[in-house]
Amino acid sequence: MSLDGCVAGPSQSVDNPLGIGGMRLHEWAFALAIWRHQHELEGGEINESTRVVEESVSNIGATVMGRNMFGGHPGPWDPKKQWNGWWGTNPPFHHPVFVLTHHKRKPLVLEGGTTFTFVADGIEAALEQARRAAGGRDVSLAGGARAAQQYLAAGLVDEMEISLVPTLLGSGERLFDGVGDNLHGLELIRTVAAPQVVHLKFAKR
Amino acid sequence: MSLDGCVAGPSQSVDNPLGIGGMRLHEWAFALAIWRHQHELEGGEINESTRVVEESVSNIGATVMGRNMFGGHPGPWDPKKQWNGWWGTNPPFHHPVFVLTHHKRKPLVLEGGTTFTFVADGIEAALEQARRAAGGRDVSLAGGARAAQQYLAAGLVDEMEISLVPTLLGSGERLFDGVGDNLHGLELIRTVAAPQVVHLKFAKR
């Protein structure tokens, strides 16, 4: 998240999924050996962010994401466009992923253990399906902003990791827009200062 | 500043100058012995915030603030209302304070070395007067949001201390509204995690 509360810049598109300037929010991660390894790249740094990333991926059994994060075109799914996400044939999740959408679609089975299941009956149904698929492990809410806002406003988030990047985007998708003034018991439990980023972990006590 | 970027809550008024919920942004300070001592109160804590506050007040020779922070009624100054600021007859500044306003007013000399000078010819003139009054010491930009936005957008801020409070206000005065995506070279140089707050210090390198 930027200092002015944005998790993506303005003018998001298929060519620029993070919006103008949005890439700047992820540079701290791109520099890490652990991130590069997950994306089958070599090299990279080990620094204070490494254990934060390790911790955040260590016990995930399923992921929930919004339609906007899964990407592609708006409206009903068009089989001719064959939009299968941003991540190629072997996405870096390697577990079941549940995509919030208003439009039904058959599950999409990709390589490496990643299956995208499209859930058209609301955030609670998606969470319930993800919980069952995770089999006792954690469910990760990957984003984007609107999916996060809905789960936050409903009080359904048990832990939140904010990677605050000391930059301004000026406009774009604000993480907390429409969430109101209630964190539903989420309290700051850990702060890690790292190169280009400060990691703030929230949890319900 | 709140997690959603507000430095004051909604519905600011003479009765509630920080707006709804705005007081929550300052609880970490009210608990400190150093803050209580400045306001002639006894007791209080010493914790990680103490040195941040000590550092921020250690070398100040003059302060600039906006009309909204100085407070009182809108429009031209009404001598009958005798609005002399929020801080009583002996304000905690003890140095010259320059108030940005559209309406001229004679300087106001209070006890303990605090003089309020009203500057009606713009932010650069106010800064210039404050620099001269500070005699080589630092000029503090106290707030509020609109004054900070103007100096930030003009690239006139050399250091910025953000005390990030892990709470949401939902709406109110956003520190970075209208500032755009340019911090004019301000970089994060120090992070201090303290009870109820994370202090982020920015400076031009």
Side-chain angles (χ1 to χ4, degrees):
Chain A
M1 184 173 85
S2 66
L3 207 53
D4 51 343
C6 296
V7 290
S11 305
Q12 287 179 289
S13 67
V14 170
D15 292 335
N16 194 2
L18 298 173
I20 296 167
M23 205 65 102
R24 284 194 274 134
L25 302 181
H26 301 270
E27 280 166 10
W28 64 270
F30 300 154
L32 297 177
I34 185 171
W35 187 90
R36 295 180 62 82
H37 179 76
Q38 282 166 4
H39 293 79
E40 299 179 354
L41 298 166
E42 295 193 355
E45 292 173 24
I46 295 172
N47 64 32
E48 293 84 348
S49 289
T50 300
R51 70 176 169 94
V52 174
V53 173
E54 279 171 353
E55 192 184 302
S56 71
V57 299
S58 66
N59 193 37
I60 297 178
T63 288
V64 173
M65 68 174 62
R67 162 76 182 263
N68 195 52
M69 181 168 177
F70 183 73
H73 54 89
W77 301 101
D78 181 347
K80 279 181 227 137
K81 292 190 175 156
Q82 286 208 322
W83 179 263
N84 291 343
W86 304 102
W87 302 276
T89 54
N90 186 1
F93 301 100
H94 311 297
H95 57 234
V97 178
F98 296 84
V99 180
L100 301 165
T101 172
H102 291 293
H103 305 284
K104 288 187 180 177
R105 175 174 171 176
K106 284 185 187 160
L108 174 67
V109 180
L110 295 178
E111 292 167 25
T114 300
T115 303
F116 291 100
T117 300
F118 300 87
V119 182
D121 46 358
I123 63 168
E124 299 200 20
L127 179 57
E128 183 50 39
Q129 288 186 51
R131 272 202 184 119
R132 260 182 278 135
R137 304 179 80 188
D138 294 335
V139 174
S140 163
L141 175 57
R146 272 162 283 170
Q149 288 157 9
Q150 290 175 66
Y151 282 105
L152 282 168
L156 293 171
V157 176
D158 298 322
E159 286 190 0
M160 173 170 74
E161 182 79 64
I162 293 188
S163 295
L164 187 73
V165 176
T167 191
L168 297 179
L169 293 190
S171 60
E173 297 278 341
R174 287 183 194 274
L175 179 58
F176 294 109
D177 255 11
V179 173
D181 62 357
N182 191 345
L183 278 174
H184 296 276
L186 288 171
E187 293 178 27
L188 180 64
I189 61 162
R190 191 263 289 133
T191 301
V192 173
Q196 306 183 69
V197 65
V198 177
H199 302 284
L200 305 169
K201 182 172 183 172
F202 292 73
K204 294 188 178 176
R205 281 190 206 261
Chain B
M1 185 174 85
S2 67
L3 207 53
D4 51 343
C6 297
V7 290
S11 306
Q12 287 179 291
S13 68
V14 170
D15 292 336
N16 194 2
L18 299 172
I20 296 168
M23 205 66 100
R24 282 194 274 134
L25 303 181
H26 300 271
E27 280 167 8
W28 65 269
F30 300 154
L32 296 177
I34 185 172
W35 187 91
R36 296 180 62 83
H37 180 75
Q38 282 166 3
H39 293 79
E40 299 180 352
L41 298 166
E42 295 192 356
E45 292 173 24
I46 294 172
N47 64 32
E48 293 85 348
S49 289
T50 301
R51 71 174 168 97
V52 175
V53 174
E54 279 171 350
E55 193 184 302
S56 71
V57 299
S58 67
N59 193 36
I60 296 178
T63 288
V64 173
M65 68 173 62
R67 163 76 183 264
N68 195 52
M69 181 168 177
F70 183 73
H73 53 88
W77 301 99
D78 181 346
K80 280 182 228 139
K81 292 189 177 158
Q82 286 208 320
W83 179 264
N84 291 342
W86 304 102
W87 302 276
T89 54
N90 187 0
F93 302 99
H94 310 298
H95 57 234
V97 178
F98 296 84
V99 180
L100 300 165
T101 171
H102 292 292
H103 306 284
K104 289 188 179 174
R105 176 174 170 176
K106 284 184 189 160
L108 174 66
V109 180
L110 295 177
E111 294 167 24
T114 300
T115 302
F116 291 101
T117 300
F118 300 88
V119 182
D121 45 358
I123 63 168
E124 300 201 20
L127 178 59
E128 183 51 38
Q129 287 186 51
R131 272 201 184 120
R132 259 182 280 137
R137 304 179 80 188
D138 294 335
V139 174
S140 163
L141 174 57
R146 272 163 283 170
Q149 287 156 9
Q150 291 176 65
Y151 282 104
L152 282 167
L156 293 171
V157 176
D158 298 321
E159 285 190 1
M160 173 170 74
E161 182 80 64
I162 292 187
S163 295
L164 187 74
V165 176
T167 190
L168 298 179
L169 294 190
S171 60
E173 297 279 340
R174 286 184 196 275
L175 179 59
F176 294 110
D177 255 10
V179 174
D181 62 357
N182 191 343
L183 277 174
H184 296 276
L186 288 170
E187 294 179 26
L188 181 63
I189 60 162
R190 191 264 288 134
T191 301
V192 173
Q196 307 182 67
V197 65
V198 177
H199 302 284
L200 305 169
K201 182 172 182 172
F202 292 73
K204 294 187 179 178
R205 280 187 208 263

